[in-house]
Amino acid sequence: MKAHSELRLLPWSGPDGKPCYLSTDDASSHLSRLADTTEAAQLDVGQELLEHAIEVIVDAEPGPAELRLLARDLTEALRDTLRVAVSRGHRLPAPNPAAPGDEEAGPRSPAAAFS
């Protein structure tokens, strides 16, 4: 099993609004699974809100109250999505450093992809 290298930012805040972190090397622990499930639910809500926002903007002439509510909900969804992105980004494996003088290090795409 891979040794734990960093705290995991959890997808919820503490009672005082500060971030919560998990320290474990067990990705299948109860709290890790709960965090995974919560992240998935937050991303689903964000997707649903985006679809709703598009409908409101395209199909209707929303009033100020509806737009304020939509902006508040979208702001909360964006906050949650950014927290998920940061948490998942921190858990990505570190890239292998390129050898000194290896200017061509990094991802390569076949030439056909650019035609």
Side-chain angles (χ1 to χ4, degrees), residues 32-83:
S32 293
R33 290 191 323 269
L34 178 61
D36 291 341
T37 301
T38 302
E39 286 179 353
Q42 289 172 328
L43 295 175
D44 287 344
V45 166
Q47 180 65 41
E48 291 171 11
L49 275 169
L50 177 60
E51 292 168 8
H52 174 67
I54 291 169
E55 290 173 3
V56 167
I57 292 167
V58 171
D59 295 337
E61 291 187 28
E66 184 177 8
L67 288 175
R68 277 192 300 276
L69 176 61
L70 182 59
R72 187 199 72 204
D73 291 345
L74 285 169
T75 301
E76 290 173 5
L78 179 58
R79 180 202 61 223
D80 292 343
T81 301
L82 291 173
R83 184 185 299 252

Side-chain angles (χ1 to χ4, degrees), residues 16-39:
D16 56 0
K18 293 184 180 178
C20 292
Y21 295 91
L22 173 63
S23 176
T24 183
D25 59 357
D26 183 3
S28 63
S29 71
H30 175 71
L31 198 51
S32 293
R33 290 191 323 269
L34 178 61
D36 291 341
T37 301
T38 302
E39 286 179 353

